[in-house]
PDB file of all heavy atoms in Angstrom:
ATOM      1  N   THR B1183     -12.066   2.090  16.048  1.00 84.00           N
ATOM      2  CA  THR B1183     -11.743   2.465  14.666  1.00 84.00           C
ATOM      3  C   THR B1183     -12.920   2.310  13.715  1.00 84.00           C
ATOM      4  O   THR B1183     -12.815   2.666  12.548  1.00 84.00           O
ATOM      5  CB  THR B1183     -10.593   1.584  14.131  1.00 84.00           C
ATOM      6  OG1 THR B1183     -10.991   0.214  14.236  1.00 84.00           O
ATOM      7  CG2 THR B1183      -9.319   1.786  14.898  1.00 84.00           C
ATOM      8  N   GLY B1184     -14.034   1.750  14.199  1.00 83.00           N
ATOM      9  CA  GLY B1184     -15.105   1.381  13.281  1.00 83.00           C
ATOM     10  C   GLY B1184     -16.347   2.262  13.346  1.00 83.00           C
ATOM     11  O   GLY B1184     -17.422   1.857  12.926  1.00 83.00           O
ATOM     12  N   LYS B1185     -16.211   3.475  13.930  1.00 84.00           N
ATOM     13  CA  LYS B1185     -17.344   4.402  13.931  1.00 84.00           C
ATOM     14  C   LYS B1185     -17.154   5.414  12.810  1.00 84.00           C
ATOM     15  O   LYS B1185     -16.046   5.675  12.380  1.00 84.00           O
ATOM     16  CB  LYS B1185     -17.412   5.134  15.281  1.00 84.00           C
ATOM     17  CG  LYS B1185     -17.864   4.268  16.437  1.00 84.00           C
ATOM     18  CD  LYS B1185     -19.370   4.085  16.502  1.00 84.00           C
ATOM     19  CE  LYS B1185     -20.083   5.319  17.045  1.00 84.00           C
ATOM     20  NZ  LYS B1185     -21.553   5.211  16.827  1.00 84.00           N
ATOM     21  N   LYS B1186     -18.260   5.979  12.358  1.00 84.00           N
ATOM     22  CA  LYS B1186     -18.142   6.853  11.186  1.00 84.00           C
ATOM     23  C   LYS B1186     -17.278   8.087  11.443  1.00 84.00           C
ATOM     24  O   LYS B1186     -16.710   8.647  10.520  1.00 84.00           O
ATOM     25  CB  LYS B1186     -19.520   7.212  10.623  1.00 84.00           C
ATOM     26  CG  LYS B1186     -20.436   8.023  11.513  1.00 84.00           C
ATOM     27  CD  LYS B1186     -21.688   8.397  10.730  1.00 84.00           C
ATOM     28  CE  LYS B1186     -22.619   9.318  11.487  1.00 84.00           C
ATOM     29  NZ  LYS B1186     -23.162   8.760  12.739  1.00 84.00           N
ATOM     30  N   GLU B1187     -17.138   8.472  12.710  1.00 84.00           N
ATOM     31  CA  GLU B1187     -16.278   9.634  12.985  1.00 84.00           C
ATOM     32  C   GLU B1187     -14.784   9.272  12.983  1.00 84.00           C
ATOM     33  O   GLU B1187     -13.935  10.149  13.086  1.00 84.00           O
ATOM     34  CB  GLU B1187     -16.682  10.309  14.312  1.00 84.00           C
ATOM     35  CG  GLU B1187     -16.547   9.453  15.551  1.00 84.00           C
ATOM     36  CD  GLU B1187     -17.874   8.802  15.953  1.00 84.00           C
ATOM     37  OE1 GLU B1187     -18.676   8.491  15.031  1.00 84.00           O
ATOM     38  OE2 GLU B1187     -18.095   8.609  17.148  1.00 84.00           O
ATOM     39  N   ASN B1188     -14.467   7.981  12.893  1.00 87.00           N
ATOM     40  CA  ASN B1188     -13.057   7.569  12.833  1.00 87.00           C
ATOM     41  C   ASN B1188     -12.551   7.651  11.392  1.00 87.00           C
ATOM     42  O   ASN B1188     -13.319   7.502  10.445  1.00 87.00           O
ATOM     43  CB  ASN B1188     -12.889   6.133  13.359  1.00 87.00           C
ATOM     44  CG  ASN B1188     -13.394   5.956  14.787  1.00 87.00           C
ATOM     45  OD1 ASN B1188     -14.112   5.000  15.080  1.00 87.00           O
ATOM     46  ND2 ASN B1188     -13.033   6.864  15.668  1.00 87.00           N
ATOM     47  N   LYS B1189     -11.242   7.856  11.261  1.00 90.00           N
ATOM     48  CA  LYS B1189     -10.671   8.074   9.919  1.00 90.00           C
ATOM     49  C   LYS B1189     -10.596   6.810   9.071  1.00 90.00           C
ATOM     50  O   LYS B1189     -10.295   6.867   7.879  1.00 90.00           O
ATOM     51  CB  LYS B1189      -9.263   8.667  10.063  1.00 90.00           C
ATOM     52  CG  LYS B1189      -8.246   7.693  10.658  1.00 90.00           C
ATOM     53  CD  LYS B1189      -6.868   8.306  10.789  1.00 90.00           C
ATOM     54  CE  LYS B1189      -5.945   7.371  11.551  1.00 90.00           C
ATOM     55  NZ  LYS B1189      -4.623   7.931  11.792  1.00 90.00           N
ATOM     56  N   PHE B1190     -10.868   5.657   9.648  1.00 91.00           N
ATOM     57  CA  PHE B1190     -10.600   4.385   8.972  1.00 91.00           C
ATOM     58  C   PHE B1190     -11.723   3.932   8.040  1.00 91.00           C
ATOM     59  O   PHE B1190     -12.901   4.072   8.353  1.00 91.00           O
ATOM     60  CB  PHE B1190     -10.337   3.289  10.015  1.00 91.00           C
ATOM     61  CG  PHE B1190      -9.198   3.624  10.932  1.00 91.00           C
ATOM     62  CD1 PHE B1190      -9.437   4.156  12.184  1.00 91.00           C
ATOM     63  CD2 PHE B1190      -7.885   3.439  10.523  1.00 91.00           C
ATOM     64  CE1 PHE B1190      -8.378   4.488  13.027  1.00 91.00           C
ATOM     65  CE2 PHE B1190      -6.832   3.762  11.352  1.00 91.00           C
ATOM     66  CZ  PHE B1190      -7.084   4.289  12.612  1.00 91.00           C
ATOM     67  N   GLY B1191     -11.339   3.373   6.910  1.00 91.00           N
ATOM     68  CA  GLY B1191     -12.298   2.730   6.025  1.00 91.00           C
ATOM     69  C   GLY B1191     -13.233   3.694   5.308  1.00 91.00           C
ATOM     70  O   GLY B1191     -13.102   4.916   5.393  1.00 91.00           O
ATOM     71  N   LEU B1192     -14.181   3.096   4.574  1.00 94.00           N
ATOM     72  CA  LEU B1192     -15.127   3.875   3.770  1.00 94.00           C
ATOM     73  C   LEU B1192     -16.554   3.618   4.229  1.00 94.00           C
ATOM     74  O   LEU B1192     -16.902   2.509   4.645  1.00 94.00           O
ATOM     75  CB  LEU B1192     -14.984   3.479   2.304  1.00 94.00           C
ATOM     76  CG  LEU B1192     -13.642   3.904   1.681  1.00 94.00           C
ATOM     77  CD1 LEU B1192     -13.232   2.980   0.572  1.00 94.00           C
ATOM     78  CD2 LEU B1192     -13.731   5.342   1.200  1.00 94.00           C
ATOM     79  N   THR B1193     -17.380   4.645   4.106  1.00 94.00           N
ATOM     80  CA  THR B1193     -18.783   4.480   4.485  1.00 94.00           C
ATOM     81  C   THR B1193     -19.443   3.505   3.517  1.00 94.00           C
ATOM     82  O   THR B1193     -18.944   3.264   2.414  1.00 94.00           O
ATOM     83  CB  THR B1193     -19.540   5.812   4.385  1.00 94.00           C
ATOM     84  OG1 THR B1193     -19.480   6.251   3.022  1.00 94.00           O
ATOM     85  CG2 THR B1193     -18.951   6.864   5.296  1.00 94.00           C
ATOM     86  N   GLU B1194     -20.573   2.985   3.936  1.00 94.00           N
ATOM     87  CA  GLU B1194     -21.312   2.032   3.111  1.00 94.00           C
ATOM     88  C   GLU B1194     -21.562   2.585   1.705  1.00 94.00           C
ATOM     89  O   GLU B1194     -21.341   1.908   0.701  1.00 94.00           O
ATOM     90  CB  GLU B1194     -22.639   1.714   3.809  1.00 94.00           C
ATOM     91  CG  GLU B1194     -23.490   0.763   3.016  1.00 94.00           C
ATOM     92  CD  GLU B1194     -24.825   0.475   3.715  1.00 94.00           C
ATOM     93  OE1 GLU B1194     -24.888   0.550   4.956  1.00 94.00           O
ATOM     94  OE2 GLU B1194     -25.792   0.186   2.983  1.00 94.00           O
ATOM     95  N   ARG B1195     -21.987   3.851   1.639  1.00 95.00           N
ATOM     96  CA  ARG B1195     -22.321   4.436   0.342  1.00 95.00           C
ATOM     97  C   ARG B1195     -21.108   4.505  -0.571  1.00 95.00           C
ATOM     98  O   ARG B1195     -21.137   4.113  -1.726  1.00 95.00           O
ATOM     99  CB  ARG B1195     -22.909   5.838   0.559  1.00 95.00           C
ATOM    100  CG  ARG B1195     -24.103   6.107  -0.359  1.00 95.00           C
ATOM    101  CD  ARG B1195     -24.548   7.549  -0.298  1.00 95.00           C
ATOM    102  NE  ARG B1195     -23.517   8.425  -0.819  1.00 95.00           N
ATOM    103  CZ  ARG B1195     -23.366   9.694  -0.443  1.00 95.00           C
ATOM    104  NH1 ARG B1195     -24.162  10.217   0.455  1.00 95.00           N
ATOM    105  NH2 ARG B1195     -22.406  10.435  -0.969  1.00 95.00           N
ATOM    106  N   LYS B1196     -20.010   5.013   0.011  1.00 95.00           N
ATOM    107  CA  LYS B1196     -18.781   5.159  -0.773  1.00 95.00           C
ATOM    108  C   LYS B1196     -18.248   3.768  -1.161  1.00 95.00           C
ATOM    109  O   LYS B1196     -17.744   3.587  -2.283  1.00 95.00           O
ATOM    110  CB  LYS B1196     -17.748   5.924   0.069  1.00 95.00           C
ATOM    111  CG  LYS B1196     -16.590   6.443  -0.725  1.00 95.00           C
ATOM    112  CD  LYS B1196     -16.979   7.636  -1.596  1.00 95.00           C
ATOM    113  CE  LYS B1196     -15.858   7.959  -2.562  1.00 95.00           C
ATOM    114  NZ  LYS B1196     -16.253   8.967  -3.555  1.00 95.00           N
TER     115      LYS B1196
END
Side-chain angles (χ1 to χ4, degrees):
T1183 57
K1185 288 280 284 168
K1186 64 174 185 298
E1187 62 263 32
N1188 302 133
K1189 68 180 172 184
F1190 303 98
L1192 292 151
T1193 61
E1194 179 181 332
R1195 221 189 65 207
K1196 195 73 190 172

